[in-house]
Amino acid sequence: MIEVRKLVKRFGLKTVLRGLDFHVEPGEFVALLGPNGAGKTTFLRILASLSRPTLGEVIIANHRLPAQAGALRRRIGVVSHLPLLYGELTAEENLRFYGRMYAVPGLEARLAEVLDLVGLAARRRDLVRTFSRGMQQRLAIGRAVLHAPEVMLFDEPHTGLDQEACDMLEEVLREVAARGRTVVMTSHDLARVADLASRFDVLSNGVIVASVQRAQIQPDDLLGFYRQALRSA
Amino acid sequence: MDGAPVVSHAKTPGLLEGMRLYLRSIAALVWKDLAAELRSRELLSAMLVFALLVILIFNFALELDTRTRATVTAGVLWVTFAFAGTLGLNRSMAMEKDRGCLDGLLLAPVDRSAIYFGKAIGNLIFMILVEVIVLPIYSVLYNINLFQGGLLLVILLGSLGYVAVGTLLSAMAVQTRTRDILLPILLFPVAIPVLIAAVKSSTGFLQGLEMAEISPWLNLLLVYDVVFIAVAFMVFDYVVEE
Ligand SMILES: Nc1ncnc2c1ncn2[C@@H]1O[C@H](COP(=O)(O)OP(=O)(O)OP(=O)(O)O)[C@@H](O)[C@H]1O
Ligand SMILES: [Mg+2]
């Protein structure tokens, strides 16, 4: 589903990704772990076609980036560091706007469904400006799944969520995974991703330094695996 | 989640269907900008207050008598529109950038020129709204009739060219830390041909010159409008992607 070879990304003189190789099968749920500044966000932004690779090959769902990005965008859903929402629009209006940009069929019904899913149905007429951080994050998740994408790229989606919202997110992610969709998610919360992802990759210094299937590791050993990966890098 | 199969709406649309989606996403963008502005009114009110202040300041600074007024009106008007327009262009793009919404737009499965056209049309509407309010006030204050067909056409074409290049440059400027300063520094030199042509043809209409004298400027204005829109259409993608 995702095939990345020798990916290099430079910002000016600074090299952030140094020949990264990455491969994801359809239906896999990859948790991308790594310390601050490792390049996780940079990598996800390239997968999302928001940023151009400096060198290397990126192919998602048979589309080569950046040349075929246009056709690919309909198939990916992104939760980023920022909520990507308009403060002066209501929750519903935000989703309606994005729904139109994606030409989502049966939009009004889908809006109600997604607002229900993220637990914001009661606040749908409120301006996003008045939302708490966690509520904005909920809506950002709703925005990302609105067009039922096949590939989800989630950058620290747990940030700001309360316990209930985390459960909601997990429910969303499990459902997504159950549908055979592909997920790449960054997180700093090992305990949370431990029983969510099907594979754990550690990104450090711009390359993947270790990778393990969930079947091959006990949830309790994940922290040890992560530390070991960083030490040996 | 919906019950649709995984490949539900991932087909590549045909040409006609693609065109329809393209236009609809432009409309969605314009609708979004208008809806947000209707709520906050921050952009329009800032542009308006600023425009009215500029007009008043010019009035005091130049101590216009009736005769000179006729000759400088076009210049005063276009300086006002250009300054107020810059304010609007800056705000409108900053609103996309600050909460990461520009990324949200760039993620959408439409050609990126649709984003350009959506933003440009929104900006044009705001600029015309300001002009619609400034013109009668100027007319009353200075006792000049500005409501002439020819002049209104020039204002429309001039604003179009200004917004066409301004929207592109604001997308460029917003990526930098110094965006508020950078936009006018980039925009004024590039937009000079539009402004000169607009001032010349406006003056022509205000002084009741022959059409033969005005039309070269009018043509220049038209040519620049077309060129700016075409260039922006081609390079917008490169400007917004890192
Ligand atoms: N636009 C940019 N220009 C210059 N450097 C950048 C840019 N974006 C990211 N970087 C640099 O790239 C490196 C990786 O950043 P990135 O945001 O990808 O890290 P991350 O793994 O997501 O970290 P975190 O866990 O803190 O989110 C950092 O050193 C950062 O300074
Ligand atoms: Mg990050």
Side-chain angles (χ1 to χ4, degrees):
Chain A
M1 197 65 170
I2 303 178
E3 185 68 56
V4 176
R5 272 182 239 127
K6 302 214 168 28
L7 175 63
V8 174
K9 177 67 182 179
R10 292 195 195 105
F11 293 104
L13 289 176
K14 184 167 181 182
T15 308
V16 177
L17 301 178
R18 309 160 189 271
L20 184 149
D21 291 308
F22 188 68
H23 174 89
V24 182
E25 292 292 328
E28 261 192 306
F29 187 139
V30 179
L32 200 58
L33 313 172
N36 294 135
K40 303 182 295 296
T41 298
T42 305
F43 181 44
L44 281 193
R45 285 179 64 80
I46 289 177
L47 293 183
S49 80
L50 286 172
S51 175
R52 283 170 193 273
T54 309
L55 289 171
E57 210 165 50
V58 181
I59 299 165
I60 303 178
N62 295 322
H63 296 277
R64 188 175 295 268
L65 293 183
Q68 295 170 315
L72 173 68
R73 288 196 190 103
R74 185 176 303 280
R75 299 163 170 234
I76 52 183
V78 175
V79 172
S80 87
H81 275 272
L82 292 165
L84 315 190
L85 298 167
Y86 293 95
E88 296 298 333
L89 298 184
T90 65
E92 198 174 41
E93 287 166 345
N94 265 288
L95 292 186
R96 188 174 294 128
F97 167 63
Y98 281 111
R100 287 181 185 165
M101 295 298 284
Y102 282 88
V104 172
L107 182 57
E108 289 306 311
R110 179 70 183 145
L111 288 187
E113 199 178 31
V114 168
L115 283 167
D116 250 350
L117 177 78
V118 298
L120 287 174
R123 300 288 303 262
R124 68 182 197 280
R125 297 269 159 78
D126 291 352
L127 293 188
V128 166
R129 173 159 62 75
T130 68
F131 277 15
S132 71
R133 172 93 173 78
M135 289 163 68
Q136 294 193 18
Q137 186 69 359
R138 285 170 180 241
L139 192 58
I141 292 163
R143 193 202 74 84
V145 301
L146 183 65
H147 57 293
E150 293 158 62
V151 180
M152 313 255 181
L153 305 170
F154 283 17
D155 199 357
E156 296 179 41
H158 290 97
T159 321
L161 295 184
D162 62 16
Q163 195 52 49
E164 193 193 335
C166 278
D167 294 345
M168 175 277 292
L169 173 62
E170 260 148 56
E171 194 185 317
V172 170
L173 289 171
R174 276 184 219 287
E175 244 188 276
V176 163
R179 271 169 208 288
R181 288 176 184 160
T182 310
V183 185
V184 179
M185 180 173 103
T186 74
S187 180
H188 291 294
D189 192 341
L190 296 189
R192 231 172 235 305
V193 295
D195 53 8
L196 210 53
S198 68
R199 194 179 106 196
F200 308 94
D201 282 17
V202 181
L203 179 67
S204 171
N205 256 316
V207 286
I208 305 280
V209 294
S211 173
V212 67
Q213 295 289 338
R214 191 192 20 205
Q216 296 165 352
I217 192 171
Q218 294 298 317
D220 298 340
D221 298 339
L222 191 58
L223 185 60
F225 163 78
Y226 176 67
R227 292 219 169 107
Q228 179 62 37
L230 290 187
R231 255 200 307 277
S232 57
Chain B
M1 305 295 296
D2 71 355
V6 168
V7 283
S8 56
H9 24 272
K11 317 189 273 301
T12 329
L15 187 64
L16 206 70
E17 177 67 6
M19 199 61 211
R20 207 172 60 90
L21 293 179
Y22 186 80
L23 293 178
R24 284 179 82 182
S25 50
I26 294 178
L29 261 159
V30 174
W31 167 85
K32 182 267 296 174
D33 274 356
L34 294 184
E37 181 56 26
L38 207 62
R39 289 257 165 63
S40 72
R41 301 210 182 90
E42 68 178 57
L43 209 144
L44 270 180
S45 53
M47 285 169 83
L48 255 181
V49 169
F50 187 78
L52 295 178
L53 282 177
V54 171
I55 287 177
L56 286 176
I57 289 170
F58 267 117
N59 178 44
F60 292 123
L62 300 175
E63 294 195 356
L64 302 179
D65 59 60
T66 334
R67 268 208 16 254
T68 44
R69 224 179 262 167
T71 52
V72 301
T73 289
V76 170
L77 277 180
W78 279 106
V79 168
T80 309
F81 295 158
F83 282 152
T86 316
L87 219 59
L89 288 166
N90 233 335
R91 271 310 308 153
S92 156
M93 207 46 94
M95 156 181 158
E96 303 290 348
K97 188 71 181 173
D98 288 344
R99 303 170 128 259
C101 294
L102 191 57
D103 282 349
L105 300 184
L106 298 180
L107 284 169
V110 287
D111 191 90
R112 265 127 190 213
S113 58
I115 300 170
Y116 167 76
F117 284 123
K119 290 306 285 183
I121 291 172
N123 287 332
L124 185 62
I125 291 175
F126 293 138
M127 195 155 164
I128 287 175
L129 278 176
V130 169
E131 290 162 353
V132 162
I133 299 174
V134 164
L135 284 180
I137 293 178
Y138 192 99
S139 298
V140 170
L141 271 182
Y142 302 112
N143 200 17
I144 288 182
N145 180 20
L146 297 175
F147 288 86
Q148 316 171 11
L151 181 65
L152 295 183
L153 177 71
V154 172
I155 290 178
L156 187 66
L157 289 178
S159 307
L160 178 62
Y162 191 74
V163 161
V165 62
T167 304
L168 177 70
L169 293 180
S170 70
M172 228 182 252
V174 83
Q175 317 271 4
T176 66
R177 261 174 308 130
T178 52
R179 63 186 180 209
D180 300 312
I181 317 162
L182 194 61
L183 179 62
I185 292 177
L186 285 177
L187 179 54
F188 291 151
V190 181
I192 276 275
V194 166
L195 292 177
I196 290 178
V199 169
K200 290 288 185 189
S201 26
S202 302
T203 309
F205 280 115
L206 282 172
Q207 296 184 335
L209 298 185
E210 293 291 315
M211 206 48 212
E213 282 178 76
I214 304 174
S215 58
W217 293 111
L218 214 49
N219 288 341
L220 186 67
L221 196 54
L222 261 173
V223 168
Y224 268 100
D225 283 2
V226 174
V227 168
F228 280 154
I229 292 173
V231 168
F233 174 77
M234 289 186 291
V235 305
F236 188 73
D237 201 356
Y238 291 91
V239 166
V240 288
E241 202 163 278
E242 55 180 48

